Amino acid sequence: MPGTQDALDTQSAAVPLPETVALVLQGGGALGSYQAGVFSELVRQNVRIDWVAGISIGAINAAIIAGNEPHLACTRLREFWELVTSGTFDFMLGDADYWREMNHYAGAAMAATVGVPGFFRPHMLPPTFAWPGTPAAVSMYDTTPMIETLNRFVDWDRLNNGPVRFSVGAVNVESGNFYYFDTKDPHGPQTIDARHIMASGALPPGFAPVEINGKHYWDGGLVSNTPLAYVLDNQTSDMLAFQIDLFPARGELPTKFADVMSREKDIRYSSRTRQVTDYYLKLRKEHEALRKVLAMLPPDMCSDPNVERVRALVEDNAVNIVHLIYNVQRWESGMRDFEFSRGTMDMHWEQGIEAVQAVLERGDLLAQNILDGKTAAFDLAPHG
């Protein structure tokens, strides 16, 4: 809301920061190194993070971010991404798109065949030969290596009790309901461990559901690939939200069969982000119009209980949503979310850094909006 100037941090960061700065991380497998690049640059630019929320690979990145001091989190993220890309060789014989595409397919094929270090590995037997009811019977890969990986890179005490709020979403397999695990849930904080992160990333049929307190959970991306709605529904102060999208909503019409899976995946996993943003901005405009009407009421009506209830319903805090959207390369296919080669990881990471730099270099309007307590969405990342 306007009038929150005292809550702003205008001293050290590249833009003025409202009371809450949120980092919202989509699911997207191997593309998640883009998010790590974004975070590392935000830290370098002295942009503090108060709340990090994630789905799937975004949940893993979020756990490392919330479970470490910011500069150490950058180091831990780098170590994690170097670990999961250590099992794939780069086969490039040049920088031309043809060689990059061949390397891309080879990296994806290797991950699908032998797994990813510190992440997942194939079961010894195909699911049809496994004993019914066991994880091997309902999935293609064993994710137990992720337990050791998360315990290595995440300080669980800091994640659960530290300054950064942490939220991850997963789907209850039996009820189909979406559920968030949140360290600062106003209805009762939850103690998070490796199971909650793995539940958020348990994408079937690759990964088995994860049991937590007698309930089984799959990847939150089955219902919504972004936790943006949850963050906005639980907003209690003026907010700057960095929404890190790994799948672009816009794209070209496929001209060959190999492009179909890529475009289908983009639409399936990105459409909800655009829908959520449009819905909440529309809602904020409607609330603003209603507040203007309420301000016109005569004094004798202002104390009416019904008027007071309406006023409480339309009271909003300002939010500025910055969309940073991964720019798909010409040589990348629908396999890009499970292509864990080192060269591609480095490219994703660098693009995340460049996206933040582009926002802050052209962030005058964003900065003014924050200072004025206004609400808006920005897509300032480079395209091409």
Side-chain angles (χ1 to χ4, degrees):
M1 295 177 64
T4 58
Q5 181 75 26
D6 291 343
L8 295 174
D9 176 2
T10 60
Q11 300 301 313
S12 59
V15 292
L17 302 179
E19 186 172 340
T20 303
V21 181
L23 188 61
V24 184
L25 306 178
Q26 261 193 359
L31 298 170
S33 54
Y34 174 79
Q35 298 171 342
V38 166
F39 175 74
S40 68
E41 184 62 17
L42 289 174
V43 171
R44 195 184 73 83
Q45 298 278 359
N46 295 316
V47 177
R48 73 168 198 280
I49 301 298
D50 305 295
W51 187 355
V52 60
I55 300 288
S56 198
I57 194 65
I60 296 174
N61 284 332
I64 297 173
I65 291 168
N68 291 281
E69 176 274 329
H71 287 89
L72 181 58
C74 294
T75 301
R76 293 288 182 257
L77 282 169
R78 188 68 198 181
E79 291 171 348
F80 167 76
W81 282 100
E82 288 183 352
L83 170 64
V84 297
T85 57
S86 63
T88 302
F89 299 103
D90 282 314
F91 298 96
M92 285 192 299
L93 300 177
D95 290 331
D97 283 355
Y98 172 80
W99 294 115
R100 287 187 174 275
E101 186 175 11
M102 292 301 100
N103 184 70
H104 169 69
Y105 285 128
M110 182 169 289
T113 303
V114 302
V116 172
F119 198 156
F120 62 87
R121 60 196 174 206
H123 289 300
M124 295 296 293
L125 294 174
T128 51
F129 294 103
W131 191 260
T134 64
V138 293
S139 63
M140 300 169 61
Y141 300 100
D142 174 15
T143 57
T144 54
M146 180 54 69
I147 299 174
E148 181 181 348
T149 298
L150 287 168
N151 289 336
R152 172 182 170 187
F153 293 121
V154 178
D155 178 341
W156 297 109
D157 181 63
R158 182 182 177 91
L159 183 145
N160 284 291
N161 304 300
V164 177
R165 182 174 181 175
F166 173 82
S167 311
V168 291
V171 179
N172 185 304
V173 177
E174 289 143 310
S175 70
N177 292 332
F178 202 25
Y179 189 79
Y180 274 93
F181 303 103
D182 189 336
T183 58
K184 292 181 172 58
D185 188 333
H187 303 294
Q190 296 151 314
T191 301
I192 305 297
D193 57 38
R195 295 172 301 159
H196 302 82
I197 317 306
M198 294 171 66
S200 183
L203 182 65
F207 304 150
V210 176
E211 181 181 357
I212 301 173
N213 299 329
K215 298 179 180 180
H216 294 80
Y217 295 90
W218 267 335
D219 192 307
L222 294 175
V223 173
S224 177
N225 199 39
T226 174
L228 180 60
Y230 180 79
V231 169
L232 296 179
D233 280 339
N234 290 275
Q235 179 186 359
T236 58
S237 61
D238 284 2
M239 176 183 289
L240 170 61
F242 291 94
Q243 166 67 45
I244 318 302
D245 289 352
L246 302 178
F247 296 95
R250 297 183 178 90
E252 297 180 357
L253 180 70
T255 57
K256 56 183 186 291
F257 190 77
D259 298 333
V260 174
M261 182 171 68
S262 176
R263 189 69 196 118
E264 182 272 336
K265 215 173 253 189
D266 288 342
I267 294 171
R268 175 155 42 108
Y269 288 126
S270 70
S271 58
R272 296 185 184 93
T273 301
R274 188 70 60 182
Q275 184 181 31
V276 167
T277 304
D278 292 346
Y279 169 76
Y280 277 92
L281 291 180
K282 179 175 178 290
L283 192 64
R284 297 298 174 96
K285 289 179 180 179
E286 293 171 351
H287 286 180
E288 183 179 4
L290 286 170
R291 288 196 297 270
K292 290 178 180 178
V293 172
L294 290 172
M296 297 169 61
L297 295 177
D300 60 316
M301 293 185 64
C302 291
S303 59
D304 184 277
N306 291 318
V307 173
E308 291 180 348
R309 277 197 293 270
V310 172
R311 182 178 290 110
L313 287 173
V314 300
E315 195 68 32
D316 289 321
N317 296 106
V319 59
N320 283 277
I321 304 169
V322 177
H323 283 281
L324 300 180
I325 306 170
Y326 174 68
N327 186 28
V328 181
Q329 304 302 300
R330 290 189 301 270
W331 45 268
E332 287 185 296
S333 72
M335 301 179 184
R336 63 184 180 274
D337 55 336
F338 58 94
E339 194 260 279
F340 285 85
S341 70
R342 179 66 57 81
T344 302
M345 182 274 286
D346 286 336
M347 184 271 293
H348 293 157
W349 190 295
E350 186 62 30
Q351 192 184 131
I353 292 173
E354 292 171 355
V356 174
Q357 292 173 346
V359 165
L360 299 182
E361 287 172 3
R362 296 178 285 154
D364 292 348
L365 180 57
L366 169 63
Q368 194 58 53
N369 248 40
I370 294 171
L371 290 170
D372 293 342
K374 294 181 179 179
T375 290
F378 299 87
D379 175 8
L380 301 177
H383 295 279

